[in-house]
Amino acid sequence: MSWDFFVPVSVGDLVKTGGVNQYVVQDVVSPKQLPSHLNSFKAALRSQGPLCILEHFDTGYSVLQHCNTVDLSVKEDTLELLIQVVSGLSVSLPSLLLSTTLSAADRKEQLNAVKMSVFLLCKLTESLESDSYRQSIVTAHGKAGKKGKASGEGLLQWDSERETVLQALVQLLQLDIRSLWSLSLVEEEFISCVTCCCYKLLENPTISHVKSKPTRDAIIHLLGVLIKKYNHLLGASVKVIQLLQHFEQLSSVCAQAVSVWSTEYGVRAIIGEVIREIGQKSSAELAREGSGVKAFSTFLSELSGLVPELMIPNISVLITHLEGESHSMRVAVCEVLGEILVRVLCGDGLDESGKADRDRFFDTLQEHLHDVHSHVRARVLQVYTRIVNSKALPLCRYSEVMGLAVGRLMDKSINAVKSAIQLLAAFIAHNPYSCKLSSADLKKPLEKETAKLAELKEKVEGKAPVAVIRASELWAAMEPELLVTARAELEPTSEGEKEQQQEEEREEVDETEVAEDDRATAVQIAQFLRVNKYRNAVRLCIRAHCHFPESEMFSSLSTLTPETLMETLALLFKGPDADTSELSQNPPPTPQKEGEKEGEGEDSELKKQEMLVQYLRDTASFALQVERAIAVINTMLYWKTTSVVQEAVQFCVTVCEFSVADSLSGVRKMLPLVWSRDASIKDAVVQAYRRLYLNPQGDTTRAKAQTLVDSLSELMVDASLGTIQCLEEIVQEFFGNGSSLQSTVVQVLWERSTGKRETSSLYKRAAVLLLGMAARAEREVVLSNLDTLCSVALGEKVTEDFLLARDTVITICSITDHVRQSKGAPFRLPQDHQLFTCLTQAIAEGVVMEDPYWQSFMEQAVRLLYFLAESPDQLCSRLLQRSARLLLDQIAENEEINKDAGQSQGGSQDSNDQSEQVNCACLAQLLALCGCVAFWQVSHLERSVSTELRRRRRETEEREEKEKGPSSKSKQAANESTVEEELGLIGASAEDTEAELIRKICETELMAEENLLSAFLPLLVRVCSSPGHYSHPQLTTAACLALSQYMMISPSVCEEHIRLLFTVLERSSLPVVRGNAIIALGDLTVRFPNILEPWTHNLYARLSDEVPSVRQTAVTVLTQLVLKDVLKVKGQVSEVAVLLIDPQPHIASLALNFFNELAGKDNAIYNLLPDIISRLSDPERGMSKEDFNTIMKQLFSYITKERQTESLVEKLCQRFRTAKTERQWCDLATSLSLLSMCERGLKRLQECWECYSDKLTEPGVYQPLLSITAKLRRGAKPQLKTQVEEFEKRLTAVHTRGLENVESPEVEEENQKEGGSGVTAAHTPLPARGRGRSKRGRAKPSVSSRGDDSFVTPRTTRKSKKPVVTFSSDEEEDEEDAVMTESETPKVTTPIARTSRRARLRN
């Protein structure tokens, strides 16, 4: 073979004239002739094998040239032939490559075959891939017809063929075909031909889909072979960066590819090359659009998850991006650090370098918990969550990271808050401290163990280790000083020094006295040296020589010099073996080894105790941080963001499972969310309670049922009524779903409620209430055992536990139609049923008892009588008679006892007072019963009776329609529209008739003389109108509440006693009475709006009450009335505005909620603002400037429309003309400055210049107006800025001129015309502030201290005057607390239209 095939850069280069011995295509076959040439190619392949490509290359090349015009079948046949050629080469080449006899010509022939076949196969593959992608776009847009369908079939076939092509190439290139080239240097064009095909396939948008996984894996492995064997490392790294920049969807594919190349093919350098390329990207380059920063970040995150250990050597290159502007790159780097910390730098087996890297990475992550971008903060929190879940966080960092996570709960980003909650939940679920976290429970053990540690430390310090020091070391330390002492003793002295020395010797004669033998003297000298008595040692040594001249120890002192003396002392102190001798200071009495063992034991115990104390401290600190987090997260349960609420719910479940202190508070707080309109929130709460309480653990069904009942009972103990109502929804759902535990749970509940199983009274009551919740789903649960409930809870011992009786009545009430909202015939029991006998007896007997829980039982019992009994009015009438008779009997008995006691004690007054006090309590209970009966009687008429009348009317109408027959139906069809109208009118007329009947009964029959209710009304009026005579708090409270319930009966009763009720509201000294009166008047306003409308200002007056509970009740009631459009919103709302600065936070929040809701109504706050400003700036109110500014700032925040701002500017400016004091001017100016001023507002302000220009001399007016110009100047257009500057100059000029002429006669004359001197006009004194709550701006004095004269109301316009209600006892005592006079009754103003023709009561 005389030619060589060179892989061209472009396909068209092969038809051009080549170089010497370079292959050139001789004949490009036309498309029509291609099928015949392909058949020849196919025959040659069968006969000659893969080398036939050398002769038929032109055929394949022709297909490439005409690729856009030839049929799909031609391209498919060509592809199949080329695959067979490449596969044939893969089979034949291995034996040839191993052969040593292969000639150069044969090698060239094989090389040309490889190049030609691979070139044609890759180029045809690229062409088919382009066609496939183009066809997929057309098909996706729905523009393909029949031809498109045919092409679509080819598209599906290509998807399957693509993998075959890649496998054939992999099989060929895996062989060591490099030896076919000269010097084994494979030309770059050949490698580029294959790699370009691979990268072309990777650009397919579906390559990352699951269905493309085989193709994707084949491409990765083919590129891996090229990188490992054919030096494609640098090219691959550059191409990966390019793919990431232009194809974002390839980030995960590239990460997988790089991971495979570095692990399976051992090319680890590829990671370094790619990361280095990414690391060298500048912040400015990454900030550009289309830079692929998102793909880079995803690639890094996924690559770190696949090969985290290979990322560590290159992490320093990426760290630089943490300081860059791209938040996506910061997120990616943080996630890389997280993966490394979780999977590589974890555990206890790290060396010092690993620990240093781990600490550095953790420090970096902690810094980015405070990143400026919210997305980074959220993702770092998620990284920490993964670290904690993997238990890779060192214990020493728990407290610090926990504190940072709690701080992130206040983040402005919702995602960061959610991630912080998830991290805190992970901390609790994987905490290394304890399964139960409670700082209160940990306090005592910590104190105990800390005290024990202190004792151990004292003990160890007392037994300090013995200091064993060598004698030679001690001698070296004392030798200099001892030598000085020896020389001083041996030197001659003067006469005076001799005398002094003799005196000292006489004093120390006892200590330096020579012992009996030389050894004892030597020991004594050594002791002197040991205790630093050097002079005594020297003197004793000199004397010893005199006493023992023959002793070896002192023989050297025959010549007495300092040197010989020091030698002798050294010998005596160190001993003959100076190197080994040791001296022990304070030697222990026990042997040394035993002492060492004991010391080691004490040290070990001390270390254990220190570790225990540190563990308890860490646990207590962790528990405190958890409790802090709970307090914050509990407030998030009512956020508007659904996802945050769901995370908060899950967190509450987690902390409850770990018995964290106060965890139950969050579980209870989220319970009302079962009523949420958001289905996802409701489902999250239901699932949470099901997980906590309705999926118990146990070996048997009964054990599970007992666990479930225990947990629910614990939740209900001390729960509020609202909590119980919410819990009903969840329990009802449990019993309605038909759980397998249902029957067993009911059985356990009955055992507890009936006393068969020993339990406390609290849990017994909880069991009764849970039975009631179950009865809502299945009535028979309670109805079948009604007699049992009556005998157990309402039997003879009912008076011993009225709370159990009350809860039993609530449970029985769950089977009534009112609770179950049944639409069929009413379910009621006969009057002689055992239940009603027990109830009436318990109520009547309780009237003459003093039980604090009787009234709550009575209210529920009367409610049940009207819900469940036939003719409940008759039952209650007999009940009232019986109760009154029992009370009279008790009074008679007390009188007889008092008579006897009076006769024996001479008429003592104490017993009379005592009996009277007892009677007041019983009388209060009787009046409460009367009021309750009156209320439920009206409710019974308007709900039960009215509903029954409508039901019977509908049944009658249906029965009549059935009796009319088909003839009437045909007539009805003929006049359908007319008849429908008539039927509508008839229906409306019938409803009106029924409503009128109910109203007539309430008006005439309920308060008729023969009705027992009317007999108690004079008594109620008497008690309420004579608080001086009836001063018992319980009696007064019960009477006022009962009177308000009587007033619900009819308009006439309400109108007759409305003055008395408002007198009680104004003048009662009991906060509870005033609070009850406000609630009652709110209900009366809904029922009789026209009667209550003239008294509206009296209701608003209670917003200034001195007692916080009364103010809270007032603002709650008025909020409901105003927002439901029962009360007209007027300027009196200023009293609610004052509550925005109430000292009580919960009252201020209620007021804020009122205005938030009111802002939702059309222009409500906008219309009220001028009046509110006038009322609050009234000098008589005496509100401070700071409080006024705070209120106005909140109210003006609701004004957002330019038109409203413009109109308010004009209105406020006009108010300057009527304002009389400086303070009012200042308040108006301040209000103007709080508006969000716009260009139109400035124009209106300039137009109203005359209104306020004469007030600009006051700084309080000038400064706020000047601040308006400062706000407008920010970001204003040039034209507007010019106007602002002109207006500012004008303001300043008038203000300055006014200050210069403030003392001029013209100004004084002008001020005198206005009614006062210039000084007075300029400095009007503010009124004296009242005591009490003056800083809230309260205009009225204390309620309890107010006299009759202070309560003045408008006169009435009614011609006929109602007689003033007075009693003989009042006249005798000349009391001043009677009802208002007729002249104090307010005038009737414009009536309020009723929303419904029939009066309705609240349930």
Side-chain angles (χ1 to χ4, degrees), residues 1207-1235:
S1207 178
L1208 274 176
V1209 168
E1210 182 177 3
K1211 289 181 179 181
L1212 293 176
C1213 288
Q1214 295 298 334
R1215 298 259 171 169
F1216 274 104
R1217 297 182 183 274
T1218 57
K1220 297 179 180 180
T1221 65
E1222 296 174 14
R1223 172 60 190 279
Q1224 289 176 316
W1225 303 342
C1226 297
D1227 288 345
L1228 288 170
T1230 302
S1231 301
L1232 284 171
S1233 68
L1234 292 172
L1235 280 169

Side-chain angles (χ1 to χ4, degrees), residues 879-939:
L879 173 61
L880 287 175
Q881 288 179 351
R882 182 176 180 181
S883 301
R885 189 179 303 111
L886 286 174
L887 182 59
L888 292 172
D889 292 344
Q890 186 192 53
I891 294 173
E893 290 177 4
N894 287 339
E895 286 179 355
E896 292 179 2
I897 294 172
N898 290 338
K899 285 181 182 180
D900 298 339
Q903 291 174 1
S904 61
Q905 299 178 7
S908 174
Q909 186 67 24
D910 295 340
S911 59
N912 292 331
D913 293 342
Q914 184 180 1
S915 65
E916 184 177 355
Q917 187 73 15
V918 173
N919 289 337
C920 284
C922 296
L923 179 60
Q925 295 184 156
L926 178 63
L927 296 181
L929 176 60
C930 295
C932 195
V933 170
F935 177 83
W936 285 110
Q937 180 63 46
V938 176
S939 176

Side-chain angles (χ1 to χ4, degrees), residues 468-488:
V468 179
I469 305 173
R470 291 185 178 277
S472 56
E473 294 175 359
L474 278 175
W475 174 258
M478 68 174 70
E479 186 175 8
E481 186 176 355
L482 184 60
L483 181 59
V484 172
T485 305
R487 286 176 177 172

Side-chain angles (χ1 to χ4, degrees), residues 1103-1165:
L1103 293 170
S1104 301
D1105 199 282
E1106 61 184 3
V1107 179
S1109 61
V1110 180
R1111 294 201 303 275
Q1112 181 180 351
T1113 304
V1115 71
T1116 304
V1117 171
L1118 287 170
T1119 298
Q1120 295 297 321
L1121 295 178
V1122 170
L1123 296 181
K1124 291 182 179 179
D1125 295 324
V1126 179
L1127 280 184
K1128 289 183 178 178
V1129 186
K1130 298 181 180 179
Q1132 293 155 335
V1133 177
S1134 60
E1135 300 297 334
V1136 184
V1138 173
L1139 295 182
L1140 288 170
I1141 54 170
D1142 195 278
Q1144 302 294 328
H1146 59 282
I1147 297 178
S1149 65
L1150 287 173
L1152 181 62
N1153 180 65
F1154 170 81
F1155 284 106
N1156 288 339
E1157 296 293 334
L1158 190 62
K1161 295 182 176 290
D1162 294 337
N1163 301 331
I1165 295 182

Side-chain angles (χ1 to χ4, degrees), residues 826-1081:
F827 172 75
R828 290 185 177 268
L829 299 176
Q831 290 186 16
D832 57 354
H833 194 276
Q834 179 190 359
L835 171 64
F836 306 130
T837 305
C838 296
L839 285 178
T840 52
Q841 182 177 355
I843 294 172
E845 291 178 356
V847 168
V848 294
M849 297 174 61
E850 292 188 54
D851 194 301
Y853 304 111
W854 174 86
Q855 185 163 347
S856 60
F857 159 71
M858 177 271 296
E859 291 170 355
Q860 294 296 333
V862 172
R863 174 171 174 260
L864 180 61
L865 290 176
Y866 277 97
F867 280 5
L868 201 57
E870 291 283 358
S871 303
D873 50 341
Q874 298 176 9
L875 266 177
C876 290
S877 178
R878 292 196 293 271
L879 173 61
L880 287 175
Q881 288 179 351
R882 182 176 180 181
S883 301
R885 189 179 303 111
L886 286 174
L887 182 59
L888 292 172
D889 292 344
Q890 186 192 53
I891 294 173
E893 290 177 4
N894 287 339
E895 286 179 355
E896 292 179 2
I897 294 172
N898 290 338
K899 285 181 182 180
D900 298 339
Q903 291 174 1
S904 61
Q905 299 178 7
S908 174
Q909 186 67 24
D910 295 340
S911 59
N912 292 331
D913 293 342
Q914 184 180 1
S915 65
E916 184 177 355
Q917 187 73 15
V918 173
N919 289 337
C920 284
C922 296
L923 179 60
Q925 295 184 156
L926 178 63
L927 296 181
L929 176 60
C930 295
C932 195
V933 170
F935 177 83
W936 285 110
Q937 180 63 46
V938 176
S939 176
H940 174 68
L941 288 171
E942 297 200 351
R943 293 182 60 185
S944 301
V945 175
S946 179
T947 303
E948 180 62 14
L949 288 174
R950 286 197 301 273
R951 188 187 68 81
R952 292 181 181 181
R953 174 169 54 80
R954 283 196 298 268
E955 288 183 352
T956 304
E957 291 173 357
E958 292 173 0
R959 189 167 54 252
E960 289 176 354
E961 287 179 3
K962 290 180 181 179
E963 292 174 355
K964 285 181 181 179
S967 60
S968 61
K969 289 183 180 179
S970 60
K971 291 181 181 180
Q972 182 179 359
N975 303 309
E976 185 174 354
S977 60
T978 307
V979 172
E980 280 182 355
E981 292 178 4
E982 291 177 359
L983 283 175
L985 291 172
I986 292 171
S989 176
E991 287 189 3
D992 288 344
T993 304
E994 294 165 0
E996 184 62 26
L997 174 62
I998 300 298
R999 189 195 65 78
K1000 186 176 180 181
I1001 293 173
C1002 293
E1003 185 73 34
T1004 58
E1005 296 184 16
L1006 288 187
M1007 297 307 296
E1009 293 182 0
E1010 60 273 11
N1011 195 312
L1012 192 60
L1013 283 175
S1014 62
F1016 291 95
L1017 183 57
L1019 179 58
L1020 288 173
V1021 173
R1022 180 183 178 89
V1023 174
C1024 292
S1025 58
S1026 306
H1029 186 72
Y1030 302 97
S1031 59
H1032 192 277
Q1034 184 181 351
L1035 178 60
T1036 305
T1037 304
C1040 294
L1041 186 58
L1043 177 62
S1044 65
Q1045 291 170 327
Y1046 264 77
M1047 291 168 66
M1048 298 287 287
I1049 293 176
S1050 67
S1052 59
V1053 178
C1054 178
E1055 194 168 4
E1056 182 178 358
H1057 301 99
I1058 189 67
R1059 261 188 306 119
L1060 175 58
L1061 191 56
F1062 270 102
T1063 304
V1064 171
L1065 175 64
E1066 294 288 336
R1067 299 178 181 175
S1068 176
S1069 60
L1070 299 174
V1072 65
V1073 172
R1074 300 201 297 276
N1076 288 345
I1078 292 170
I1079 297 172
L1081 288 166

Side-chain angles (χ1 to χ4, degrees), residues 440-483:
D441 295 341
L442 289 168
K443 188 176 180 181
K444 288 184 178 179
L446 178 59
E447 291 176 352
K448 179 182 176 182
E449 298 301 330
T450 305
K452 187 176 178 182
L453 176 62
E455 291 177 2
L456 277 176
K457 285 184 176 180
E458 291 178 0
K459 184 178 179 181
V460 171
E461 288 174 359
K463 293 184 177 181
V466 178
V468 179
I469 305 173
R470 291 185 178 277
S472 56
E473 294 175 359
L474 278 175
W475 174 258
M478 68 174 70
E479 186 175 8
E481 186 176 355
L482 184 60
L483 181 59

Side-chain angles (χ1 to χ4, degrees), residues 367-381:
E367 289 175 5
H368 287 275
L369 280 174
H370 302 287
D371 197 280
V372 293
H373 202 284
S374 61
H375 183 56
V376 181
R377 298 195 298 271
R379 294 297 287 271
V380 172
L381 286 165

